Amino acid sequence: MRFLMSCLVLLALSACGYVNYKDLKAGSFSGAVHVYWVGENNTAFGDGNFVYVPVRGQELTFTRTRANGEVQVIRPEPFYTDGGSVPKPVQSIGGMSAWGYAPAYIIHDWLFVARKCVNDGKQPTVHEVEIVGDMSFQESADIMGETIKTLIESNRVKRRELSPVAISWATAGPVSRNLWNEETCVRLHPTHLANIQHLIGDGRLAGIQARSKRNERTGGPQLVGTISFD
């Protein structure tokens, strides 16, 4: 009952999907999460509007084994994210922060971005097609659980009873399913893409951090968060 109520609170849904969290297998993370802020969002979910920045050589990567035994490597490309789309009124609950499971949210958000771009047929990238071309909605929800379990088992976050299951169930619900089937591919605005290219430069993290620091004074793009697995 507690799981069900949490799921309803999380996304204000009339029904939740189901993920067999207990039997999910952990995968492995490598690389790092780098994000820069581009504005606030005007919804009751998440935490602002950010761009995930894949730094060369430190791209966030999640490796998992699919049900058919295939090893799958998920490596997001630049895209917009609000962290976890958790309702703001419950973000203070342990494990429910919009960035509490940040790497997991980045992977999950990327799957949806890739799926929408494949759905609308507007020149999806090869990686987008490879990752979500034959992926079911249920598998996307299972991956949410797998990534959270991976963070827990690698001691990157606290072990909690409630939030991993509640979040996994919420991502298997009808609102998420409708988003999965949308055909609205949103690419980065040219200005934001140029900002990323400026930040990354030659791809060396020290240079990226130095440019970000200078931009604090000039108002240019700057990294606001980094989580590394390496």
Side-chain angles (χ1 to χ4, degrees):
M1 181 63 176
R2 186 169 56 170
F3 289 149
L4 177 59
M5 290 303 296
S6 297
C7 189
L8 291 172
V9 170
L10 272 171
L11 290 178
L13 303 178
S14 60
C16 289
Y18 176 73
V19 170
N20 188 0
Y21 181 82
K22 177 178 177 292
D23 289 342
L24 293 178
K25 304 299 182 184
S28 63
F29 275 109
S30 62
V33 174
H34 301 276
V35 294
Y36 88 90
W37 180 79
V38 296
E40 61 182 352
N41 61 10
N42 297 314
T43 71
F45 302 92
D47 182 35
N49 193 20
F50 299 81
V51 173
Y52 162 71
V53 182
V55 175
R56 189 174 65 201
Q58 290 194 330
E59 297 91 342
L60 179 67
T61 302
F62 181 65
T63 303
R64 61 185 292 264
T65 302
R66 305 183 74 179
N68 63 3
E70 172 192 351
V71 174
Q72 184 178 51
V73 177
I74 303 173
R75 186 176 293 113
E77 298 172 7
F79 73 101
Y80 294 111
T81 178
D82 63 353
S85 299
V86 180
K88 292 175 183 177
V90 300
Q91 288 185 18
S92 61
I93 299 174
M96 299 298 186
S97 162
W99 293 101
Y101 298 122
Y105 293 143
I106 294 293
I107 294 296
H108 185 259
D109 280 2
W110 166 245
L111 295 178
F112 276 66
V113 169
R115 170 73 177 185
K116 292 176 183 179
C117 292
V118 169
N119 281 352
D120 78 0
K122 294 182 179 178
Q123 296 183 325
T125 67
V126 172
H127 184 60
E128 289 169 348
V129 175
E130 288 178 344
I131 292 301
V132 300
D134 65 345
M135 182 177 290
S136 67
F137 169 70
Q138 182 62 50
E139 186 175 14
S140 76
D142 289 342
I143 290 173
M144 179 82 261
E146 290 174 7
T147 52
I148 292 178
K149 180 169 281 191
T150 301
L151 293 175
I152 293 172
E153 294 193 358
S154 59
N155 297 315
R156 301 294 303 217
V157 297
K158 291 182 179 179
R159 188 175 298 275
R160 292 185 170 92
E161 177 188 357
L162 173 61
S163 54
V165 178
I167 292 170
S168 299
W169 283 17
T171 55
V175 170
S176 290
R177 183 180 293 276
N178 288 339
L179 292 172
W180 181 255
N181 292 322
E182 275 188 0
E183 297 182 359
T184 304
C185 177
V186 179
R187 297 296 188 190
L188 292 190
H189 187 279
T191 299
H192 296 153
L193 185 58
N195 286 347
I196 286 179
Q197 293 170 340
H198 169 72
L199 272 175
I200 293 178
D202 62 4
R204 296 182 180 179
L205 184 57
I208 294 170
Q209 292 171 330
R211 282 186 290 276
S212 181
K213 191 69 175 178
R214 287 197 299 270
N215 288 344
E216 290 182 18
R217 301 188 296 271
T218 63
Q222 53 193 283
L223 294 175
V224 296
T226 297
I227 301 171
S228 178
F229 289 90
D230 298 329

